[in-house]
Amino acid sequence: VYLLDYRLAPEHPYPAAVDDCMNAYRALLDQGVNPQQLVIAGDSAGGNLTLATLLRARDEGLPLPRCAVTFSPTTDASCRLPSIDGNDRSDAMLTASMIRQASAIYLNGTDPHTPYASPLHGEYGGLPPLLFTTSENECLRDDCYAAVNKAREAGVTARLITRGGMPHVWPIFYPVMPEAKKDLKKVVGFVQHPG
């Protein structure tokens, strides 16, 4: 496992985090790691970076990883999808205002439709298989659904695990939540057989 300590906003707004992810990915490839033995994964903002890294690696002609996993990713920095406000009261962890404020700080004036900052606005053709998770109750639900649909429209394998009544990024709570234990097994199965 390679856990990247990437630079954070507000001190280091976009594109610092994506640059750090790309530098780490290139470093792994330069060390001779077979990309088919790599899986990129991230949750929430890390899900955004997972997708942005894939888009940029593909655009730069780098070999892509075996697959990628995103837990409750933020994919649209414009924050205009319906669930941002529609699930504001049902999301146990995030609020619409929190997401908008974090997006503005991260973007620091960058157009929110820039694909590497807002992966929903990128082209998904040629990406490796993707797995998404989202809660039906969270503000970022539609970020996830929209990215899944965009990937599928581009011919990319995109699997979705969704549950009602779960918090943001619930699969990471596998030590304490039975649903997380069950769904993390599905994630492992996907990584083993992504096609």
Side-chain angles (χ1 to χ4, degrees), residues 130-152:
L130 305 170
L131 174 67
F132 295 82
T133 72
T134 192
S135 169
E136 292 299 315
N137 300 87
E138 69 174 307
C139 291
L140 295 176
R141 179 197 65 205
D142 292 348
D143 280 54
C144 185
Y145 274 104
V148 168
N149 290 337
K150 185 150 193 176
R152 288 175 177 168

Side-chain angles (χ1 to χ4, degrees), residues 6-26:
Y6 59 86
R7 290 173 290 169
L8 302 174
E11 293 82 7
H12 304 283
Y14 175 83
V18 180
D19 289 344
D20 290 351
C21 290
M22 283 301 300
N23 289 336
Y25 188 65
R26 276 193 212 92

